[in-house]
Amino acid sequence: MNVLIIGAGGREHALAWKISQSPYAERIFVAPGNAGTAQIATNVDISITDFEELAKFATDFNIMMLVVGQEAALVEGIADYFAEREYLQHILVVGPRRAGAQLEGSKDFSKQFLLKYGIPTARYETFTAETFDQGIAYLQNHPYPVVLKADGLAAGKGVVIAQNFEEARAALSGMLQQNQFGAAGSKVVVEEFLQGIELSAFILTDGKEYVLLPEAKDYKRIGEGDAGLNTGGMGAVSPVPFADDAFMNKVRQRVIEPTLQGLQQEGIPYTGFLFIGLMNTNGDPYVIEYNVRLGDPETEAILPRINSDLFELFKALHDHELGQFQLEIDPRSATTIFLVSGGYPGDYEKGKEIHGLQTALPENTLCFHAGTKQTHSGQIVTDGGRVIAVTALGQDMEEALEKANAAAEQITWEGRNYRRDIGFDLKQYLAERL
Ligand code: AMP
Ligand code: GLY
């Protein structure tokens, strides 16, 4: 079977890597892909939102499965485009239609949905330019810190955690009056700050049945000790020590099942991955956000822990048989460290030659590309903020982290930066439990 994967990050490289291990996989294409996907698949130079060209490519190359890694394509309706055209309907699309993608595409929509279906989440209010003054009054009376979120997609940059009223006022004004995020910031969700440790939970669902995938913890801040600006994600750990059966049963009963019931009641079809960003507050899960695709870098940590064939999993999705699917999970720990460009998440330079990629990686270590490209002369150079994700598997988190750190050190370029403390809070959690 020929497959087309949509996206260009470490997540899509990991998806291509995992799919390439399946005996059902024939040709694998990635649009637009990166220098890493080019080594195991064929890159296709088509924009992820040029549905007409993607559909033409899918027809010409006999694509049977479309796996959408990136949210923008889903929010703009790639799954609707394929579902609405008879000549494309035989293609199995992994990714929800526009209606379902609203769970990620609009924070206001997702907050209303959470509230309506009684799913635990932070208290909130939504403001627009018209209700700016009410927003200011709300912020004056709100405890701090407070969280402000641009309603629409803002590439992970639309969330501000304000420590005091002045910061909150500046953020609200930036979004509503100065159009800082364009249309994405024309509505702003203001919500209560939740204390706790975060967790990313993932399911694959047909809107009714689901398979719970391994969970992961992402490290979003640029600096060690979780300091500094938010990034797309600097590293990940899977499994997460506090996500034991008792906690995950709460996630199933209080979050996943009511979410699927809510989608059904709203008449919203859903076929694909759903990523639920959770806060563990005193042992109880609260939803921070929904995403309608897998996480990046979480994917680079969770796919190496899935032993089952992804084709079989996607086939079960389309045959509505996920309820019986026995997912085989590797009990080992996987940890991922993202190597990023100097200056990221602020301004950074591209085009730096990457060294150390040819060196054989130690056993049980994987290297996924994100912002990389190959020059005409064959060099692999940096082409983005997040550049290379290194994943290592180990008997426990400590061993996996040691291996991932050792491998990360070997891959270098001018200005490359990474966090050497991935997993620090989970080590602390484990130490406190002893
Ligand atoms: P989001 O884009 O909604 O995932 O927000 C980005 C990051 O901001 C999250 O991963 C959290 O670290 C943080 N965050 C978002 N909402 C809250 C909240 N209500 N309380 C505490 N932290 C939050
Ligand atoms: N790692 C968080 C995300 O993919 O949104």
Side-chain angles (χ1 to χ4, degrees), residues 11 104 200 218 220 232-233 275 289 291 293-298 386:
R11 169 182 48 212
E104 175 166 4
S200 303
D218 175 20
K220 284 212 170 77
F275 162 174
E289 62 168 348
N291 294 307
R293 34 86 193 167
L294 288 175
D296 193 351
E298 290 95 326
R386 294 193 298 168

Side-chain angles (χ1 to χ4, degrees), residues 107 122 147 149 156 159 161 191-195 198 220 230 279 288-289:
K107 303 254 187 217
V147 185
K149 299 183 177 183
V159 176
I161 297 173
E191 73 177 27
E192 169 198 19
F193 179 81
L194 296 169
Q195 294 285 354
E198 283 183 69
K220 284 212 170 77
N230 254 331
M279 189 70 86
I288 289 186
E289 62 168 348

Side-chain angles (χ1 to χ4, degrees), residues 11 48 68-76 101 104 153 155 292-293:
R11 169 182 48 212
I48 64 166
V68 189
Q70 227 279 347
E71 62 274 13
L74 294 165
V75 171
E76 291 204 17
E104 175 166 4
L153 293 184
V292 298
R293 34 86 193 167

Side-chain angles (χ1 to χ4, degrees), residues 8-11 13 34-37 233-234 296 300 337-342 344 348-355 357 367-373 380-390 411-418:
R11 169 182 48 212
H13 189 184
N34 56 41
T37 59
M234 296 292 291
D296 193 351
E300 293 93 304
I337 297 175
F338 235 120
L339 310 182
V340 305
S341 294
Y344 171 80
Y348 54 84
E349 288 175 26
K350 294 184 185 176
K352 306 283 183 198
E353 186 179 352
I354 306 173
H355 305 281
L357 288 172
C367 170
F368 298 114
H369 290 223
T372 65
K373 77 171 184 198
I380 295 184
V381 300
T382 65
D383 194 38
R386 294 193 298 168
V387 179
I388 297 280
V390 178
I411 300 171
T412 59
W413 64 88
E414 188 196 325
R416 86 92 165 78
N417 180 28
Y418 65 93

Side-chain angles (χ1 to χ4, degrees), residues 90-380:
H90 62 285
I91 299 175
L92 308 185
V93 178
V94 181
R97 297 176 64 158
R98 201 185 281 118
Q102 283 303 294
L103 284 178
E104 175 166 4
S106 167
K107 303 254 187 217
D108 181 46
F109 174 86
S110 67
K111 292 298 287 190
Q112 287 186 39
F113 180 92
L114 289 161
L115 202 69
K116 182 164 174 189
Y117 293 99
I119 302 164
T121 190
R123 267 190 299 276
Y124 83 106
E125 287 286 333
T126 300
F127 299 99
T128 61
E130 286 72 50
T131 57
F132 180 76
D133 292 341
Q134 280 115 289
I136 293 295
Y138 186 76
L139 291 174
Q140 268 164 341
N141 296 314
H142 202 286
Y144 282 82
V146 70
V147 185
L148 293 95
K149 299 183 177 183
D151 177 56
L153 293 184
K157 302 204 169 79
V159 176
V160 175
I161 297 173
Q163 299 298 333
N164 53 49
F165 173 68
E166 279 314 310
E167 282 178 27
R169 182 181 25 204
L172 191 71
S173 163
M175 292 185 205
L176 292 180
Q177 297 186 316
Q178 287 135 43
N179 278 329
Q180 205 180 347
F181 297 105
S186 64
K187 277 189 202 167
V188 176
V189 167
V190 178
E191 73 177 27
E192 169 198 19
F193 179 81
L194 296 169
Q195 294 285 354
I197 313 189
E198 283 183 69
L199 173 86
S200 303
F202 300 94
I203 60 170
L204 182 70
T205 182
D206 65 355
K208 293 191 178 74
E209 298 180 9
Y210 70 95
V211 166
L212 183 66
L213 306 177
E215 75 288 347
K217 175 156 197 308
D218 175 20
Y219 291 79
K220 284 212 170 77
R221 302 299 188 101
I222 185 68
E224 288 175 8
D226 283 344
L229 294 174
N230 254 331
T231 69
M234 296 292 291
V237 172
S238 177
V240 179
F242 66 76
D244 55 12
D245 285 348
F247 184 81
M248 292 314 286
N249 281 334
K250 290 183 191 171
V251 174
R252 284 178 184 272
Q253 286 160 15
R254 299 181 193 172
V255 178
I256 296 171
E257 283 152 25
T259 296
L260 298 180
Q261 281 155 15
L263 287 170
Q264 288 163 37
Q265 280 191 35
E266 298 291 315
I268 297 176
Y270 199 102
T271 304
F273 293 106
L274 180 66
F275 162 174
I276 309 170
L278 297 165
M279 189 70 86
N280 172 357
T281 302
N282 301 322
D284 290 319
Y286 289 80
V287 176
I288 289 186
E289 62 168 348
Y290 289 114
N291 294 307
V292 298
R293 34 86 193 167
L294 288 175
D296 193 351
E298 290 95 326
T299 305
E300 293 93 304
I302 68 174
L303 288 187
R305 294 192 57 229
I306 295 180
N307 291 335
S308 305
D309 185 310
L310 271 199
F311 266 94
E312 287 176 7
L313 188 61
F314 293 154
K315 186 170 181 310
L317 166 69
H318 282 274
D319 293 344
H320 303 287
E321 286 174 352
L322 286 176
Q324 295 106 53
F325 196 89
Q326 291 298 323
L327 192 72
E328 286 166 35
I329 296 176
D330 187 328
R332 288 178 300 170
S333 255
T335 59
T336 300
I337 297 175
F338 235 120
L339 310 182
V340 305
S341 294
Y344 171 80
D347 293 338
Y348 54 84
E349 288 175 26
K350 294 184 185 176
K352 306 283 183 198
E353 186 179 352
I354 306 173
H355 305 281
L357 288 172
Q358 309 308 331
T359 323
L361 286 166
E363 218 186 327
N364 292 315
T365 312
L366 298 154
C367 170
F368 298 114
H369 290 223
T372 65
K373 77 171 184 198
Q374 189 157 18
T375 62
H376 293 301
S377 54
Q379 288 170 346
I380 295 184

